[in-house]
Each structure stands twice: as C-alpha cells, then as structure tokens.
Amino acid sequence: MAETIDVIMDDMKMNRALTRIAHEILEHNGGAATIAVIGVLTRGAVLARRIAKAIEELEHVSVDLGFMDISLYRDDVHSKLDQPVIQRTDILFPVKDRNVILVDDVLFTGRTIRAALDQIVDFGRPRTIQLAVLVDRGHRELPIKADYVGINVPTRKTDQVVVEVSEKDGVDRVSVHPNHDGKGRRSETGGGAR
Amino acid sequence: MSKLASRHLLGLEGVSADDISLILDTTHTFREVLDRPIKKLPTLRGLTVLNLFYEPSTRTRISFELAEKRLSADTVSFTTATSSVKKGESLRDTVQNIEAMKIDMIVVRHSSAGTPYYLTQCSDANVINAGDGSHEHPTQALLDMYTIRKKYGKLAGLRVVLVGDVKHSRVIRSNIWGLKALGASVALCGPSTLLPAEVERYGCDIYTSLDEALDGADVVNIMRLQLERQQAGLFPSQREYTNLFGITRERLKRLNKNYTIMHPGPMNRGVEISSEVADGDSSVILDQVTNGQAVRMAVLYLLSGPEAEGPQA
C-alpha cells in the first residue's frame, strides 16, 4: 500500500509564513538596524535569504546575511554512517552586539540548533540570538524553543518532514512522510527531511 | 555524504583523484576557520591523537599539533629523546603500549620508509604519514596542491617543476603522485646524481638543466638541499649546486606570467633559492605553512569518521 504524503504547505503558504516571520522580527527588534540574519545550510540558508530580502523590502535597508554549516559542531559526527560533506561557513560581518536571527527549515530534536549556537558564539558575542524556523515538528531532546515559527506540526518521531524550496528542488512545499525506519534525516531525493 | 577509500593516509601513490579532491575541498572549509576570531572546533572532541616523531621536525609537528588542538582532540606528543626507545624498546612495543592507553589516531614521522604501513599492521588506530624516509610526505604534497589550486582555481593543465634532490625527497615523490592524479603536467629537475634510477617510470619530464625546465612553467617547487648529500659525494660543492640549480630572479624570466614560487621549508637562503625570490611577490611559501594546517585538519577530520574499508592509501 502506497504511503500517504501529507502536504502541509504550498508555495503560497510558505511565502505568507516567511513574510509574517519578517514582520514579527522587525516588530520584536524595533526595526532592522541591529539585525543580522544567519541561515543553517542548506535549506535554512535559502529561507534566511528570503527573510532577509523581505526585511529589506519592508524597511528599505540592507541586512547582513550569513550562512553556516554546522557539521563540524555536531555531537554525532563520529557516530554517523558517513562523514558529512562540509560546506563553507560565510559570516563576513561582526556578530558582536547584534541581534542575530538564526534561521533553519525544521526544528526537531534541537541538536542542530545547539551546534549552530556554539558556532555563532565562536564568532563573537551577539546581543541576542533569536531562532526562526519554518516548521516546528516537536520531539525536542534539548531545552530549545523557536522565537518565530512558520507552522507547528504534530508528528510521530518516525515521520519525515520534507522541506522543498524552489531554489534547490524546483518547488516550494512542506510535506510529512510516514516513515517507519526511525531516520528523520536528509532524504536521498532532495528536499530537507527532518 | 563522503568517505575516503582508506582509513589511513600513508602516501598519495594510488590514491584516487576523487579522494584527493575531497581532501582539498574539505581543506577549503578549514582554511576559513583559521581566519575566524576563535580558531577552534569541537569536531574531534573525545578522540586522542598520538604524535610519534622519530625524526626532528618543527613545521610538520607543530602544524599537526595545532590542527589536532584546533579540532579539540586530546594529543600526546612523543619524541625519542625522552622515551623508552632510548632503553631499547622496539617501535612495535612502543606503539602497542601507547595504544593500550586508548589511542585513536597516530601521526608518525620516521627515517625508515614503510614505518606508517608497519604501524597499520600492529595497531588499530588510523595512521597518518608525516614523512617516512625517502618514501612519501603526503600532507606536504596536499598542502602544496591546495596552495596551487587556491591561486589558479585548478591543477589540471598547469606545468609544475619540482627542483632538487629527486632521489631522496619524499616531498617530491608525494607531489608527483598527487599532481599527476589531478591532471597537472609535472617536470623533475636536479643533478643527474640526485635523480633515481629508472626516473622515467614516474611519467614526468626529466631535466638536468634548470633553465630548460623552467621554460613555460607555471609553478616552481624548490626542495631544500640536504648538505649531507654533498658529504656523500653526490655533488661537488654547494656553490656549484647554487650556480646550476639555485633559483634566482634572473632565471624567473623563463617562467610563464603569473608564476608561483614554492618551498616546503626550511630554506637554505642563497643556496637553492635566493632571498629576493623567497621574499618576492610570487612566493607563496608562508601561505603554504598556513594552508598546511588546514590540510591537516581536513585529513584528521576525514580519517576520524566511520570506518572506511578499502585499499591502503
């Protein structure tokens, strides 16, 4: 029997959610003056670029945008079946005293965000680090909570949440795939699965 | 996801172009880390690396130790002068005793070729060759290749001249295998007494005239002249070597525009390279040292992963 895929976001919903998050960030920080946006590679970086663009269009200012690969900060780097291909971290601005908006696609166990927090702190001491995620699917293993959420989705731990973005996958979509192997990581067919 | 074909780095002979490219690509990421305010990553936390140096070394040993520390590994450094080797302990016993203290990786330098391979036979640790006799010095060649690739954006099609003691230089040997695997054209140049028998089997252009070798070259990698070779009667005098094989500004006119001068160090200024060349705009000698750390971080990271199965590399 074919698995039932539950599409929870199409391109319209995703765009609305990201625009709302941009508004909430501006409201919470009293404008864009102190903001820097950092996306977690790969799909978090795409979403960060869109959020930064939305903030720039709303405020008519330029927003510092950075990208980070958290592979080297993971706590399971030696227990995985394979070494992750590490990408370059590009944070070409000082984070000291900035309100850093950390952007990722899916918030699941919290371990990726823990690694990202460690890495940001290695670049300096931000005034605040705020977390923006497109999907919060629950099942946290660490005390981490998002400040800005596109959509909250109740899931089973064995489900896969797949985020696709047009820049990488040709389509904007978020879907939940029932998956009974217990692995909620990157899918082989593209799309960020968590 | 990525994985090297071998769980050791014993040399570059027989290592695939894909594996070499993976190391160089990973190096690029670690090079960025070295420009950060805090040059430290938690990646190797919990792993213990043994630095086993049976030969004098400054650059390589410090470079490996810093790379290990910057990846948060625990390190143990061993030098023969203060060890039980002085009491007659064999290499095998030394390693097995240290390994009983739960070592994950071994970085080894030894005057005997084949020592790193021997260690893989009597230890479960990942072994990295930091130079073994006249055999290979793979991380030096990898950092040379990364430095060239960083400047030109490629290795394929470039003409690289390796000048010096081709017969005894482990750096030259590793450079030959690595550069050829990635499509560079390699020329070897040195006195005929410092060329190995059957040098043609390397598949490189061979020169005993430096001026001919430099014609149309993009990169010149100059090896240190080991003065003990003179005592062995392999060349008459230092002055003659300098006259025939020393790199001077005058000789650089034969190179292509945008040429690069390299030297693995330590330099004999005024012998194999003049000071004005060593300190000139086209010299990347200090870049090599910085890039060396990033290469070693990349190698440690890639070998520290889950067990790779395959031929020894």
Side-chain angles (χ1 to χ4, degrees), chain B residues 5 11-17 19-20 136 177-178 181 311-313:
Chain B
L12 293 186
E13 186 176 9
V15 177
S16 70
D19 273 8
I20 293 173
E136 285 217 42
W177 303 127
Q312 305 291 355

Side-chain angles (χ1 to χ4, degrees), chain A residues 72 78 80 82-84 119 123, chain B residues 2 28 32 36 43 301 306:
Chain A
L72 296 169
H78 304 301
K80 295 176 79 67
D82 217 338
Q83 291 286 76
Q119 184 163 195
F123 279 85
Chain B
S2 61
H28 194 55
E32 172 267 321
R36 293 185 191 179
T43 315
Y301 165 73

